[in-house]
Amino acid sequence: MRHPSPDPPTFSFELFPPKTPEGMAKLSASIDRMNAVGPEYFSVTYGAGGSTRDSTFETLDLLLAKGIEAAPHLAAIGSSRAQVKAILDRYRGQGIHRLVALRGDLPSGMGLGTAGDFRYANELVSFIRQETGDHFRIEVAAYPEVHPQAANADQDLANFKRKVEAGADAAITQYFYNADAYFAFVDRCAGLGVQIPIQPGIMPITNFSQLARFSDACGAEIPRWLRKRLEAMGDDIEAIRAFGHEVVLKLCRRLLAGGAPGLHFYSMNQAEPVLRLWRDLGLPGAEGL
Ligand code: FAD
């Protein structure tokens, strides 16, 4: 491991780049609230094919101007080596030291001819190491419930290992609501000699229809009992938030008690749900909440 993780668990937030100046102003206020608890870093998503390139840059500039450690996601599918190299040079020049390296998904309708120079994330990780040595701490994606396009769980695990062998320092998981899937995945990794920290990705539950849509798209499972309880709450947003908070809080507690090396919160640019979790978990910095 080139950038070993510090021993105590680490906690981070994920943002997505807003589309409008109003969205950016709102995000700036949310970042200030989230940053007050002292997360390790904020990551910023990137649309495959460069669809959010400028707004990802703008969001990163906002974080850097506030003196906050930023970790851009870089989804390489549809890009050439030269395009990725230009982005790496920019980030290096800005003093960025962390990246989340991903394949990304081609927008539907784009054929294989538009895939660009990178077919899989391991190729991107190799390229980053080749071009920038040990400059970046590289995080990659992990799928405790198996990536939706994987031929099977064993091959998916073998493909995850390729990314680690290519030079990833750590991983962040797709979100899940079944802690056993995470622990089983970590055990299987250890069985293959894969020892990097695997940070659970935590998605707060605040809106059932949105969550159901995301989960269908990314292959994350909402367990039947949870889906049925949320469905029964209909449009009662308050009830969904209160129940969702308790469910995710218990999940986080179980993960940390079981040895997870920290948590990466998918904030969806909303400070309230993730800070509530932070407070009830009693994480460092929660005193003022
Ligand atoms: P890979 O690791 O390349 O895996 C993709 C599939 O190919 C898997 O089924 C795997 O088993 C298989 N595979 C991998 N390597 C090989 C190989 N060498 N040979 C054959 N098969 C292989 N998407 C975005 O567009 N922007 C983002 O900012 C973004 N952020 C994310 C953050 C996290 C923490 C996670 C978990 C996902 C994120 N995604 C993002 C979604 C991600 O891009 C998709 O899940 C995508 O389908 C897979 O990306 P990957 O990097 O995991 O791909």
Side-chain angles (χ1 to χ4, degrees):
M1 209 184 307
R2 295 153 201 250
H3 293 261
S5 286
D7 251 350
T10 58
F11 301 92
S12 47
F13 293 125
E14 181 167 311
L15 308 173
F16 63 84
K19 290 197 177 84
T20 61
E22 298 75 41
M24 197 62 82
K26 259 185 152 168
L27 178 61
S28 176
S30 298
I31 290 172
D32 291 342
R33 289 190 60 205
M34 290 188 261
N35 192 45
V37 297
E40 178 90 356
Y41 66 92
F42 284 79
S43 79
V44 182
T45 62
Y46 181 90
S51 58
T52 69
R53 206 179 74 115
D54 292 344
S55 49
T56 295
F57 289 168
E58 210 184 317
T59 309
L60 291 166
D61 291 347
L62 178 67
L63 288 166
L64 296 175
K66 291 175 188 286
I68 295 173
E69 173 140 19
H73 295 208
L74 183 47
I77 199 148
S79 300
S80 66
R81 283 189 184 79
Q83 285 168 326
V84 169
K85 174 76 168 60
I87 293 175
L88 295 174
D89 288 346
R90 177 192 173 100
Y91 290 159
R92 240 192 336 180
Q94 288 182 305
I96 289 174
H97 282 276
R98 278 178 189 266
L99 288 175
V100 184
L102 302 142
R103 183 195 72 177
D105 293 306
L106 273 183
S108 53
M110 282 172 82
L112 270 183
T114 48
D117 287 338
F118 301 93
R119 287 167 310 158
Y120 297 108
N122 65 293
E123 297 171 3
L124 173 64
V125 175
S126 297
F127 181 73
I128 298 170
R129 287 294 177 225
Q130 177 197 310
E131 294 296 324
T132 65
D134 288 349
H135 177 82
F136 292 105
R137 175 183 168 89
I138 303 179
E139 313 262 348
V140 289
Y143 301 86
E145 294 180 328
V146 184
H147 185 266
Q149 290 155 12
N152 58 51
D154 288 353
Q155 282 192 24
D156 205 30
L157 189 65
N159 290 330
F160 176 67
K161 190 174 180 220
R162 284 178 208 260
K163 297 194 276 196
V164 178
E165 286 169 350
D169 295 293
I172 303 171
T173 74
Q174 185 56 274
Y175 67 86
F176 55 86
Y177 296 104
N178 175 0
D180 289 332
Y182 170 79
F183 291 123
F185 181 77
V186 171
D187 284 350
R188 294 194 75 205
C189 286
L192 290 181
V194 172
Q195 299 287 359
I196 61 166
I198 300 172
Q199 200 95 352
I202 303 296
M203 179 69 89
I205 299 175
T206 56
N207 175 325
F208 175 60
S209 53
Q210 189 190 50
L211 183 70
R213 224 180 27 250
F214 281 171
S215 304
D216 288 346
C218 72
E221 190 168 280
I222 308 178
R224 181 181 159 84
W225 68 272
L226 180 54
R227 189 180 275 270
K228 291 284 174 197
R229 290 284 304 276
L230 290 166
E231 269 171 4
M233 290 174 194
D235 293 332
D236 188 345
I237 297 290
E238 280 316 305
I240 291 174
R241 288 192 172 186
F243 172 67
H245 175 71
E246 288 309 315
V247 169
V248 177
L249 182 63
K250 266 192 205 151
L251 171 69
C252 294
R253 285 192 176 130
R254 228 191 119 194
L255 292 167
L256 292 173
L263 302 170
H264 181 74
F265 294 99
Y266 294 112
S267 80
M268 307 300 288
N269 294 1
Q270 303 292 316
E272 194 61 41
V274 291
L275 289 179
R276 204 168 156 197
L277 289 167
W278 195 286
R279 181 195 66 199
D280 291 351
L281 287 167
L283 300 184
E287 304 77 24
L289 291 173

